[in-house]
Every structure is written in C-alpha cells, then in structure tokens.
Amino acid sequence: MYIKKFLDLGMQPLANRYLTKKDILKKTQEIFYHLEVGFNIKTKLVSILKKIPSKIIFDDKYPYRSSMSRTMILSFKKLAKNIINNYNPNFILEIGSNDGALIRNFSKNKAICVEPCKNLAKITKRMGYKTYSNYWDIQLAKKIKSKTKNIDLIYSANTLSHINDTNSVFNSICHVLTDDGILIIEEPSFLECLKKVAYDQFYNEHVYVFSLSSIINLVKKFNLEVFDIEKINTHGGSLRYHIKRVSNNKFKIDNKVKIQLEQELKNGINKYSTYIKFKNKVINSKKKLKKIFLRLKKRNKKIIGYGATAKSSTVLNFCNIKNETLEYFLDTTPGKIGKYMPGTHIPIKGYNRSLLNEADYAFLGAWNLKEEIFKKERRYIKNGRKFITHVPVPKII
Ligand code: TYD
C-alpha cells in the first residue's frame, strides 16, 4: 500500500546464475522475472517488487567470491583491526561469511560463520571455522544461542539486503546478540546509487538497497539504533552501520549519523519525485550506452567485457546488448570461467592479458573496482585502448 513503483528494468534472469556450455547446447530454460523497483513512502525503504525465494538463488553452486579483489580483502582486513580495537569482542558471528574474507582475520575459537551456500561454507569449514550452512532465521539463531551465549559482535556484509523477511533477520539477530553486543552491517548505499545512476545495483539478490533513513526505521522496531556510520568505497559506495541496543549507553550517537541523514534528505530520498527523476536518468543512460556500442560496432571495433558481475547482467539485459556486440567477458572467478552470462549468453573467459589486448574497448562490468583495475591495466590504457563505463553516465574512458 505504501510501496510506489518507480522503475521497470524489464524481464531479467537471475543475475548470478551463469550458464554452462551444456545449458546453452540443451537450450535449458532460464528463470526470468519482472524486475521492478519501488519506494516505500512510509519507511523510505527501496526494494525490488518481485522477490525470489532464497532457496532458488543461494544454492550449492553460488559463484560469488568475496576474496576476488584486493579492494575487498584490504577492506575486510582494515575492518577486522578496527573491530578488535574498538569493541574487542569475546565472540563474533558473521552472517553470509562467503569464502571467509573477513573471518580469516579472527581467531578460530572466537568466531562462527553462517553461510547457506554449501560450496562457500566448505571453504571456511576447511579453514577450521565453525560454519553453519543454513539460511539466517530464528531456528538457526536458537540453535546457535543454545550453544554459544556470548556473541557480542555480529557482522554482515552484503547479505541482509538479500533476505526477503527483514523482521525475521533482526528478530534472529536480537535473539543471539548479548545485551551490550554490537551489530555491524555493510551494504551499498542508496544515496550513492542515486548519485551514480547505478541502476545495476538492482537485481534479484538485492531485494533491498538500504539508506541510513530506511535502516533507522527498520531497526527501531527491535529497539536497536544506529550509533555510528562509515562511508566505504566497496560495491560502488557503501555504508557501514554500527548498531546497538537502545538500552546500551556505552556509545553515544556520532555526529556522522546526523550529517548522513541530512545529506539523504537534501538529496530528496524521502520524496517520490526524486525516484521519478532517477528513472528518467536510467532511461537516458540506456539510450546513451546503446548508442556508444552501436557507434563502435559500426566502426568494426572489438568490444569485450571486464568483470562478469551480477550488476552487468542487469545492464546488458536491460539494454539488450548481446554476444554480437560484446564478444566475451574476462573474469578471474573460478566459478564463472567457461560459463555464459545469464540472459545474454555472452561467454566468460578466464582473465589473461593477451585476451584483453585483443580488444579495442572493454566494458567495465566491475566499475566499482575501477581504481584497482585501472592500476592493473596501466599498459592496456597506455597503448591507447579504452574502457566503456555506464556510471555515472555512459562514456568511453
Ligand atoms: P563485484 O564487484 O563484487 O560485482 P557483483 O556483486 O555485481 O557481481 O564483482 C567483481 C567481479 O570482477 C568478480 O567477478 C571478479 C571480477 N574481477 C576481475 O575479473 N578482475 C579483476 O582484476 C577484478 C578486480 C575483479
């Protein structure tokens, strides 16, 4: 009733469901769903309208790996240091521990991992961490609490926004967290998404794109409050929320919280008209990007993709850019190499420099890792080769 639709990104496949050669040959039916995005005028929460059950998305073949970029590894390392310095927790629980990129910085007898994707859970188990390969819900929270009573720090990066039932998420967190415990959440920031016209933050897994305003509204129902935030550059601009129980007086609410809220209001994230303006920018972005590809193709330029991200699945399917235009993607993730992009069926090849050098232009699928990639590909750039980006406006760089 309070949710107002503002963006239609068309029919989309599951963004991390890369196809195998067998799928292509057998013409295996892909799951497509209508990707529409709405804004809740009461809670300020931005969400996709058609929510896909977690069990369909997060299975034992989930390809995403947190440790595939230096940017992410360094970000987790720095965070682990800060957690120890600021909170010195007795016991840490990570929800969505992926391949252990953060948890590896903590002692094995003081940390628990929760990771429903069995292929990933296997990695942290092998590293020696107690890992529950389950979805985060109250049953699991009760099971964990019955065994471990002193969890005073819960951390979750890029996971809570993937879970449809936000009440269940925070209820389960409150069940296991000690009274003076701290919850740290890290998620792409909607304000950054707005500023960068990063409509590719929307896909089936990103059920929600949070802002500080919406997080405050979400957690207050559970007597929780945000007392500090950090702006971080991961995933195209994220916010890290430090949250405590309202009853915990050990920490004061930092002024950064007030400043961010003011920024969000100033940028109109509480007004529906802002979302309509955003939609118009997205439509323009599509037109411009298609024009760039068309122009280069007319000049017989070879275009490839760099970073076969879930985000690029949204862009390419929305803009209807297929294999005839973008020949292949290069990526370093083992679970993606040799597969095909969902929907567009663009092949993904293992990264190697000579394949990159065959290209005249590379579409920057991993635009959020631009700095790291540009450093790595200094020579490609020096040789006059170019990248194409769609963020914040489509252009050749
Ligand atoms: P990510 O930015 O996390 O995007 P999403 O969440 O949208 O899938 O993924 C980055 C992708 O880029 C990942 O598949 C690894 C790839 N990558 C490379 O292939 N080479 C590189 O040098 C870097 C930094 C990333």
Side-chain angles (χ1 to χ4, degrees):
M1 185 172 34
Y2 295 111
I3 299 175
K4 292 182 93 169
K5 186 178 106 178
F6 66 90
L7 182 63
D8 184 342
L9 293 166
M11 293 307 286
Q12 292 274 353
L14 302 183
N16 262 309
R17 187 60 55 88
Y18 298 87
L19 290 101
T20 60
K21 186 151 201 143
K22 206 164 139 197
D23 291 329
I24 300 285
L25 291 173
K26 281 182 142 180
K27 295 195 166 61
T28 305
Q29 276 282 306
E30 286 179 90
I31 302 171
F32 276 83
Y33 69 105
H34 196 176
L35 180 55
E36 294 178 295
V37 192
F39 162 65
N40 186 317
I41 49 172
K42 196 166 166 226
T43 64
K44 320 297 174 228
L45 186 58
V46 173
S47 65
I48 64 168
L49 302 185
K50 169 115 183 94
K51 299 177 175 118
I52 315 278
S54 298
K55 284 188 171 64
I56 295 183
I57 307 169
F58 303 104
D59 56 13
D60 56 357
K61 292 190 193 74
Y62 188 68
Y64 182 78
R65 296 276 304 267
S66 302
S67 301
M68 282 300 121
S69 83
R70 221 177 117 66
T71 311
M72 292 306 289
I73 291 171
L74 290 179
S75 166
F76 286 127
K77 208 170 191 166
K78 194 168 154 205
L79 169 66
K81 221 174 172 179
N82 287 346
I83 288 179
I84 294 166
N85 286 343
N86 295 335
Y87 305 123
N88 192 23
N90 289 309
F91 215 100
I92 175 164
L93 167 74
E94 184 176 5
I95 307 171
S97 46
N98 198 274
D99 60 3
L102 172 88
I103 216 76
R104 64 185 317 133
N105 299 293
F106 291 90
S107 149
K108 293 184 180 68
N109 51 11
K110 286 171 81 177
I112 292 180
C113 302
V114 172
E115 176 50 68
C117 303
K118 295 203 167 39
N119 56 323
L120 299 169
K122 230 189 248 169
I123 302 173
T124 48
K125 278 182 189 168
R126 231 183 270 139
M127 284 158 67
Y129 289 92
K130 172 80 189 156
T131 305
Y132 290 89
S133 190
N134 300 81
Y135 295 96
W136 178 248
D137 59 17
I138 193 69
Q139 278 85 2
L140 179 62
K142 283 182 177 165
K143 191 170 163 186
I144 292 176
K145 177 77 181 281
S146 70
K147 293 182 178 147
T148 317
K149 305 238 177 314
N150 59 341
I151 296 170
D152 52 358
L153 199 131
I154 299 183
Y155 173 72
S156 189
N158 308 304
T159 299
L160 301 190
S161 61
H162 298 30
I163 308 176
N164 295 339
D165 187 347
T166 51
N167 283 333
S168 158
V169 162
F170 290 103
N171 202 11
S172 310
I173 285 172
C174 286
H175 189 78
V176 293
L177 191 66
T178 57
D179 286 348
D180 58 355
I182 303 293
L183 165 67
I184 302 177
I185 305 174
E186 203 171 300
E187 293 285 349
S189 150
F190 182 71
L191 184 56
E192 290 302 312
C193 172
L194 197 66
K195 285 181 178 170
K196 295 183 175 122
V197 197
Y199 63 92
D200 51 353
Q201 289 290 7
F202 298 113
Y203 52 92
N204 58 298
E205 286 171 25
H206 289 184
V207 183
Y208 306 103
V209 179
F210 295 129
S211 55
L212 173 62
S213 311
S214 61
I215 284 281
I216 286 177
N217 286 328
L218 266 176
V219 301
K220 77 172 170 213
K221 283 192 271 179
F222 299 90
N223 293 320
L224 298 170
E225 64 185 0
V226 180
F227 66 95
D228 202 0
I229 52 156
E230 292 169 74
K231 282 188 186 179
I232 48 175
N233 62 7
T234 56
H235 290 286
S238 296
L239 279 181
R240 185 179 286 148
Y241 307 91
H242 296 244
I243 297 168
K244 65 174 184 66
R245 292 191 199 267
V246 175
S247 56
N248 176 356
N249 295 321
K250 242 166 64 193
F251 301 93
K252 283 216 179 79
I253 298 187
D254 194 276
N255 205 34
K256 290 203 286 303
V257 175
K258 189 174 152 226
I259 294 171
Q260 178 69 19
L261 265 181
E262 283 168 1
Q263 282 277 317
E264 290 187 354
L265 282 180
K266 207 173 118 203
N267 283 280
I269 76 158
N270 58 335
K271 285 189 291 193
Y272 185 59
S273 56
T274 305
Y275 295 81
I276 296 303
K277 275 186 209 147
F278 176 77
K279 175 197 76 176
N280 292 332
K281 283 185 185 166
V282 173
I283 293 170
N284 269 331
S285 175
K286 174 179 177 172
K287 279 187 200 148
K288 275 195 179 139
L289 187 67
K290 281 181 81 89
K291 225 184 204 169
I292 291 175
F293 274 96
L294 210 72
R295 188 158 44 88
L296 296 177
K297 250 1 245 183
K298 266 196 189 146
R299 286 164 50 206
N300 282 326
K301 298 295 179 193
K302 180 167 174 139
I303 313 171
I304 66 158
Y306 197 114
T309 56
K311 290 187 288 295
S312 20
S313 177
T314 294
V315 176
L316 300 178
N317 284 290
F318 178 57
C319 298
N320 201 20
I321 293 166
K322 297 214 165 98
N323 204 194
E324 307 84 68
T325 316
L326 200 159
E327 288 186 32
Y328 52 84
F329 264 94
L330 293 179
D331 201 286
T332 50
T333 313
K336 295 182 185 177
I337 296 168
K339 296 203 174 143
Y340 297 79
M341 290 293 284
T344 58
H345 300 180
I346 296 168
I348 304 167
K349 300 187 181 192
Y351 170 81
N352 84 51
R353 266 223 171 95
S354 54
L355 278 176
L356 175 66
N357 287 333
E358 283 177 14
D360 300 305
Y361 293 84
F363 170 66
L364 201 50
W367 59 266
N368 47 313
L369 299 169
K370 182 174 138 194
E371 259 177 51
E372 180 176 344
I373 292 169
F374 275 30
K375 218 186 247 173
K376 191 166 141 191
E377 307 304 351
R378 276 187 304 261
R379 196 157 287 158
Y380 170 86
I381 296 168
K382 222 172 160 190
N383 287 342
R385 309 276 172 65
K386 302 280 182 194
F387 282 96
I388 304 168
T389 189
H390 66 288
V391 171
V393 281
K395 61 180 175 217
I396 292 168
I397 44 177

